Amino acid sequence: MGYRAVAVFTILAVTFLSVSAKHAHVKSNKLCNLYEGEWVFDNSYPLYDSNKCPFLIQQFNCSGNGRPDRGYQKYRWQPHNCNLPRWNGEEFMRRVRGKRMMFVGDSISMNQWQSLACMIHGAFPRAAHTTRRLGLLSTIVFPQFNFTLMYSRNAFLVDITKEKSRRVLKLNKIGGSVKQWLSSDILIFDTWHWWLHTGRKQPWDLVQYGKVRLKDMDRMVAYEKALRTLTRWIDQSVNTKRVKIFFQGVSPDHWNATQWGKPELQRCSGERQPFRPEMYGGGRNLPESILENVLGAVRKPVHLLKITALSQLRVDGHPSIYGNPRKIGMDCTHWCLPGIPDVWNQLLKETLIRS
Ligand SMILES: *[C@@H]1O[C@H](CO)[C@@H](O)[C@H](O)[C@H]1NC(C)=O
Ligand SMILES: *[C@@H]1O[C@H](CO)[C@@H](O)[C@H](O)[C@H]1NC(C)=O
Ligand SMILES: *[C@@H]1O[C@H](CO)[C@@H](O)[C@H](O)[C@H]1NC(C)=O
């Protein structure tokens, strides 16, 4: 069943459920949209302790960096018509034993990778592990489970090549990474945040599509072209019976506080609670629409983790001033750990054990 078919099915199932639930209080996990729901305070969270997880980098260690409140670690995601099962490390490990899993993407991908490593460590605190970093590839192995958990840093997914000292972003080429990706059994892709960078933070000088080279182009158009290159490769070359493919949906940021009725310059600073759904005026997320649209045209099974809307509500989940202490300033893009990416991984697990 292609992505679109799954989406249509889900909408039908949810429509049916919301009608019948009113009458019979039906709660069925089979017919349920896990992505529609609300955040509920739950004192039994978090799933692990930031002081004990050996994989956590300082940038996400908000409590260790002095963040005084802990509420952000204690919300659980409650879908409207069913429950998202609590994280169960044994169940996850049964599914991934002997497998290689790779997150490919930018630092938000690393955020989710670290969260998953900490969730595994929280479930099996005595499990041995080895870590290694080689260039842009970081690897954690849990020998007891013969499980390899990797993060490959790759902000655009398509290639950037250097030609006559100019860096060219090639929207229709992914040759550079494919072999590494295909050595995995489970791939979770993510790209978005770097597409908007300009000036010194822009790591390319020219952008190329086919034979056309430009100084710049509409970033949304470029993003869509790159995604189409990736999905074309999936359709043409990936044996999805062997390699399961996921996309992390677009992770929202919270830089502009006028969107929730506060002075713009406040950013996400001082926020202690999630929004109620009606409080957020940020509207639809354009890159997420593009991603859904592109994945909708894929013939092979590819699963999108639709984390955008549920994460939009978590204005309280960012490091703000408790991120990387060596960099002055604010971070309203990444997420504190324990925190929101833990829920993304619960959703990943639920999808994985059903596929
Ligand atoms: C998080 O920060 C605290 C305080 O600096 C530190 O004790 C702890 O070891 C840190 N956790 C990790 C995983 O580095
Ligand atoms: C461990 O997993 C790899 C695949 O990732 C497999 O080739 C190997 O045979 C497994 N080893 C054991 C001892 O199960
Ligand atoms: C912040 O959001 C408001 C309301 O949506 C918008 O009018 C304004 O242009 C935004 N500011 C920036 C810098 O994007």
Side-chain angles (χ1 to χ4, degrees):
M1 197 154 49
Y3 168 73
R4 176 169 289 152
V6 174
V8 169
F9 174 75
T10 309
I11 289 164
L12 286 175
V14 167
T15 311
F16 163 74
L17 254 182
S18 54
V19 172
S20 58
K22 274 192 200 104
H23 302 291
H25 306 284
V26 180
K27 284 210 173 191
S28 157
N29 273 339
K30 263 182 282 172
L31 297 175
C32 168
N33 184 342
L34 286 173
Y35 299 104
E36 285 181 359
E38 62 185 336
W39 293 97
V40 176
F41 190 85
D42 183 335
N43 226 345
S44 71
Y45 282 75
L47 296 165
Y48 55 91
D49 178 345
S50 62
N51 288 325
K52 297 197 177 126
C53 174
F55 311 109
L56 196 62
I57 61 167
Q58 200 175 3
Q59 187 184 355
F60 307 140
N61 183 1
C62 300
S63 63
N65 295 334
R67 182 167 175 169
D69 59 312
R70 293 290 177 276
Y72 70 93
Q73 302 184 352
K74 290 183 170 292
Y75 284 88
R76 115 185 115 70
W77 179 245
Q78 176 63 60
H80 289 318
N81 293 309
C82 56
N83 295 318
L84 175 62
R86 195 180 165 93
W87 168 250
N88 177 331
E90 279 89 17
E91 195 181 23
F92 180 76
M93 281 311 190
R94 270 199 298 281
R95 178 64 181 81
V96 300
R97 185 181 278 276
K99 301 253 187 295
R100 294 162 59 82
M101 183 177 211
M102 187 186 284
F103 286 88
V104 185
D106 56 27
S107 55
I108 308 285
S109 190
M110 177 174 71
N111 221 172
Q112 189 177 355
W113 170 73
Q114 295 219 322
S115 154
L116 183 56
C118 290
M119 288 162 82
I120 293 170
H121 185 263
F124 304 98
R126 280 194 291 272
H129 53 84
T130 60
T131 58
R132 187 170 37 130
R133 189 165 159 191
L134 209 67
L136 299 175
L137 182 67
S138 304
T139 304
I140 302 170
V141 179
F142 295 94
Q144 177 185 342
F145 306 102
N146 191 19
F147 175 55
T148 306
L149 182 60
M150 294 168 281
Y151 161 59
S152 173
R153 182 174 173 78
N154 189 333
F156 296 93
L157 302 181
V158 292
D159 292 348
I160 297 181
T161 55
K162 202 155 187 186
E163 291 168 23
K164 297 195 189 105
S165 82
R166 299 222 275 188
R167 302 158 302 172
V168 187
L169 176 66
K170 298 202 163 156
L171 298 179
N172 56 357
K173 285 225 155 42
I174 48 169
S177 321
V178 160
K179 211 175 144 204
Q180 185 192 59
W181 297 348
L182 288 179
S183 72
S184 309
D185 305 287
I186 301 153
L187 284 165
I188 304 105
F189 289 110
D190 140 64
T191 181
W192 163 242
H193 288 268
W194 281 79
W195 290 91
L196 295 182
H197 286 326
T198 53
R200 274 191 330 144
K201 287 197 85 182
Q202 175 186 310
W204 48 268
D205 305 303
L206 296 169
V207 54
Q208 178 168 347
Y209 187 72
K211 292 205 156 47
V212 185
R213 271 190 187 185
L214 302 164
K215 280 292 284 178
D216 207 343
M217 69 190 285
D218 183 302
R219 300 304 179 88
M220 293 290 179
V221 173
Y223 173 64
E224 176 168 0
K225 284 187 187 303
L227 288 175
R228 290 210 188 275
T229 300
L230 190 70
T231 54
R232 204 175 305 121
W233 167 73
I234 293 169
D235 263 340
Q236 287 171 0
S237 314
V238 180
N239 174 2
T240 47
K241 290 205 168 63
R242 189 182 75 73
V243 184
K244 300 286 171 227
I245 300 199
F246 290 81
F247 272 79
Q248 182 194 71
V250 172
S251 172
D253 54 47
H254 293 92
W255 288 97
N256 182 352
T258 51
Q259 289 173 343
W260 56 97
K262 296 206 174 141
E264 185 175 327
L265 287 178
Q266 175 180 321
R267 316 278 188 216
C268 63
S269 171
E271 297 289 350
R272 296 280 185 269
Q273 270 163 23
F275 295 136
R276 305 284 315 159
E278 64 278 7
M279 272 164 63
Y280 181 69
R284 227 170 129 56
N285 183 296
L286 182 55
E288 179 70 4
S289 309
I290 293 174
L291 180 59
E292 281 197 34
N293 193 25
V294 172
L295 294 186
V298 183
R299 282 176 282 116
K300 294 206 172 145
V302 167
H303 190 90
L304 173 62
L305 297 170
K306 292 195 194 182
I307 54 140
T308 309
L310 64 89
S311 308
Q312 261 173 343
L313 301 175
R314 293 307 304 274
V315 65
D316 58 320
H318 300 289
S320 69
I321 58 168
Y322 304 106
N324 189 342
R326 274 180 302 275
K327 280 194 202 148
I328 304 164
M330 190 71 91
D331 182 353
C332 299
T333 298
H334 299 99
W335 304 96
C336 296
L337 295 180
I340 285 75
D342 304 346
V343 171
W344 304 351
N345 283 319
Q346 282 178 267
L347 292 160
L348 172 65
K349 171 191 154 262
E350 289 311 307
T351 314
L352 195 58
I353 60 178
R354 280 166 182 71
S355 69

